[in-house]
Amino acid sequence: MSGTYQDGGRLFYQSGIFATGHLPRTPRPDLGTIAEPARDVRVFRDCDVLVVGGGPAGTAAAIAAARTGADVMLLERNNHLGGLSTGGLVIRIDRMTDWSGAQVIRGIASDLIDRLPKDAVAGPPRGLWGEADEATAAYWKERTAAFHGIVTWSPTVDPEHLKLACQEMVLESGAHLLLHAWGAMPILQDGRVDGVFLETKEGRMAIRAKVTVDCTGDGDIFDRAGAASLTDIDTRDIHHCINTAFMLGGVDMQRWIAFKTDQPADFAAFMDRGRTACDGLFERPFVSWRNDVALFMGPRLAGYSAVDVEDLTEVEIRSRRIMLGHLATYRAHAPGFEGAFLMLSAPQIGVRHARRLVGVGSVLREDWPAGIAKPDEIGVSPSLSPKFPNVSVPYGALVPATVDGLLVAGRALSCDATSHSFMREVPQCWMTGQAAGVAAALAVGERVEPRAVPVGRLQAELVRQGALVRTPAMAAA
């Protein structure tokens, strides 16, 4: 089916959503429980700020907290940083500019992109951001950098170079990095989070922290700490779908784009052929940072839970079978794909939604039309359509309504299901991660809970670090 979100008849976003039944599965039996003996757990480290999860939000949070002067520890379960922007192959970075062409998501987001070699980034030059010329916009639309007839800064990047940039910026900031370490459970003292227990090849250990930032994406730490969450979804939007992305090498994307744009009838026939050959689970490719690499961000599978381990396993199985079917069909029938080969299936599954925090504040659809900067604004997001002004992101969206010692950044922030469709994207995760990192460091320095951080100081430090905040004059540091 076609996944769309409309408001007053205006299409915001369209992509394939594939509502599919599960593979045959034996129901999970109730086998009772086993008591785990109590044990003493070795403390690995004490720190000011502990960031759990090294995706876009966690990377930005660690850098920002360290730049603010805190002693920072960053935990990541995989062997690399960047999360879905690297290991998940979400290398088509979504819009960082608003509809006028002004870059509104910047700060650490800009620092990371600017650090990449020129041949590791593909996208329109700065002079074209906001351009509405029909031919120019049509050209960049096929290269995932123009929407609603407007050219945007939506770069596509080399994931390996972005992994390295994330790693080096974290280390240069002075933050400490620990890979292959899974933040398993929060350390709770009188309802306050004082760090986490982690699982490693050395066994279970603990890190104590004055403030912990949950950047797990799925909200694992805040959920296990008892903070409330929302799980409702908008079934018309892809924000709830899961899949494992993949890349095909040995292609000619210029030929493919010419075929798609110049031969619409033949392109439609090809897509019909693919849907028949692949049982309806068929997707078109995106461009990458190179002409000879094609990126497939789907098919996006609906009806699965990101916090059910059997569902996650099934999505991986189905996605890899789908990848093989795409290879065969594209090689046989798609111009530019005659010599295609399987290059890479994403090391990380593409989860878009699991839990959303119930926070002190929230990003809400009802607030979009006003375009007013929240008093506690920590960042600005482009809106989904030129119909709306930029969206103000409040600090309260990162602060749990009840639990102390904890902040949440990334796609699990507090927002409604409709706003989640863009607040989950990589640039927004960089933005909220940077804000959470600064807030955590300030909370430590001020010896207050994160909910009591002086908003004026937070905004001033974010501006100093290059972020866009429209209310920094509200009590200068």
Side-chain angles (χ1 to χ4, degrees):
M1 62 178 287
S2 174
T4 65
Y5 179 76
Q6 296 190 18
D7 189 283
R10 185 66 176 264
L11 179 68
F12 285 171
Y13 192 83
Q14 181 173 8
S15 190
I17 295 177
F18 300 87
T20 60
H22 285 63
L23 295 174
R25 182 189 300 177
T26 302
R28 193 184 304 182
D30 182 358
L31 300 176
T33 62
I34 296 176
E36 183 176 5
R39 53 179 166 167
D40 292 329
V41 176
R42 178 163 62 96
V43 176
F44 178 80
R45 188 181 179 89
D46 289 320
C47 62
D48 291 335
V49 175
L50 171 62
V51 180
V52 186
T59 296
I63 294 168
R67 287 179 176 178
T68 309
D71 176 22
V72 180
M73 190 81 205
L74 173 60
L75 295 187
E76 168 53 41
R77 63 180 177 171
N78 292 298
N79 72 344
H80 61 272
L81 297 178
L84 291 184
S85 69
T86 56
L89 298 185
V90 186
I91 59 174
R92 186 190 68 79
I93 308 301
D94 203 18
R95 293 174 298 115
M96 300 169 71
T97 49
D98 65 14
W99 299 107
S100 74
Q103 185 171 349
V104 295
I105 297 183
R106 48 201 200 211
I108 288 173
S110 292
D111 295 344
L112 284 165
I113 298 297
D114 291 346
R115 190 181 184 106
L116 303 178
K118 290 183 178 179
D119 61 358
V121 184
R126 184 178 294 271
L128 291 181
W129 301 353
E131 177 62 61
D133 172 73
E134 185 175 350
T136 303
Y139 176 88
W140 286 107
K141 176 184 176 182
E142 297 301 328
R143 291 152 181 84
T144 64
F147 307 90
H148 295 284
I150 299 173
V151 179
T152 65
W153 179 229
S154 307
T156 303
V157 303
D158 180 339
E160 293 304 317
H161 275 292
L162 184 54
K163 287 177 186 176
L164 184 60
C166 291
Q167 171 186 294
E168 294 306 301
M169 282 183 59
V170 165
L171 296 176
E172 289 168 9
S173 74
H176 304 277
L177 174 62
L178 189 64
L179 302 173
H180 302 285
W182 187 303
M185 290 291 293
I187 301 170
L188 292 172
Q189 298 288 341
D190 299 322
R192 186 185 194 278
V193 175
D194 286 342
V196 301
F197 295 103
L198 55 146
E199 296 290 349
T200 75
K201 297 296 285 185
E202 297 182 43
R204 194 171 181 87
M205 296 188 288
I207 295 179
R208 293 182 296 219
K210 296 172 184 174
V211 176
T212 300
V213 185
D214 183 346
C215 294
T216 61
D218 297 327
D220 293 337
I221 301 304
F222 83 69
D223 180 70
R224 292 164 193 172
S229 63
L230 298 173
T231 58
D232 59 303
I233 60 172
D234 185 335
T235 57
R236 300 168 295 176
D237 189 278
I238 66 170
H239 83 123
H240 65 287
C241 296
I242 308 175
N243 65 279
T244 297
F246 62 94
M247 295 192 298
L248 300 183
V251 305
D252 184 342
M253 289 301 289
Q254 298 285 16
R255 280 188 62 207
W256 163 259
I257 291 172
F259 166 67
K260 178 175 177 289
T261 57
D262 299 342
Q263 301 171 247
D266 291 340
F267 169 71
F270 165 75
M271 292 301 294
D272 286 341
R273 181 196 295 265
R275 293 184 193 101
T276 300
C278 297
D279 297 323
L281 303 177
F282 195 65
E283 185 66 277
R284 67 192 69 184
F286 290 98
V287 298
S288 73
W289 76 103
R290 295 172 57 107
N291 182 59
D292 58 353
V293 175
L295 171 67
F296 288 82
M297 297 299 296
R300 302 161 177 86
L301 304 178
Y304 292 93
S305 168
V307 293
D308 182 310
V309 68
E310 290 184 287
D311 274 10
L312 293 172
T313 300
E314 184 172 318
V315 169
E316 297 279 19
I317 292 169
R318 299 191 74 168
S319 293
R320 288 188 172 83
R321 290 174 176 173
I322 288 167
M323 177 177 66
L324 196 62
H326 277 62
L327 175 67
T329 301
Y330 273 83
R331 285 186 67 166
H333 305 291
F337 281 77
E338 297 84 354
F341 61 88
L342 295 178
M343 179 176 173
L344 179 67
S345 59
Q348 292 182 237
I349 193 168
V351 171
R352 295 169 176 82
H353 179 269
R355 309 178 181 97
R356 304 191 314 278
L357 176 73
V358 173
V360 170
S362 194
V363 180
L364 300 174
R365 165 65 183 85
E366 64 198 53
D367 293 336
W368 295 4
I372 298 172
K374 302 278 188 178
D376 62 339
E377 179 175 282
I378 50 82
V380 178
S381 173
S383 64
L384 279 178
S385 161
K387 175 181 177 180
F388 296 103
N390 292 328
V391 177
S392 180
V393 181
Y395 176 53
L398 314 182
V399 182
T402 54
V403 177
D404 282 324
L406 183 67
L407 289 165
V408 178
R411 70 171 186 261
L413 89 166
S414 180
C415 64
D416 59 24
T418 305
S419 301
H420 188 263
S421 63
F422 60 91
M423 287 307 302
R424 66 177 174 83
E425 296 287 356
V426 171
Q428 284 80 356
C429 290
W430 281 329
M431 177 237 293
T432 58
Q434 182 170 9
V438 170
L442 291 176
V444 173
E446 296 279 337
R447 298 185 179 182
V448 298
E449 292 295 346
R451 69 184 68 254
V453 166
V455 171
R457 287 205 60 197
L458 170 59
Q459 293 170 329
E461 177 60 20
L462 285 169
V463 170
R464 189 189 72 81
Q465 291 192 16
L468 173 62
V469 179
R470 294 175 296 183
T471 54
M474 299 177 54

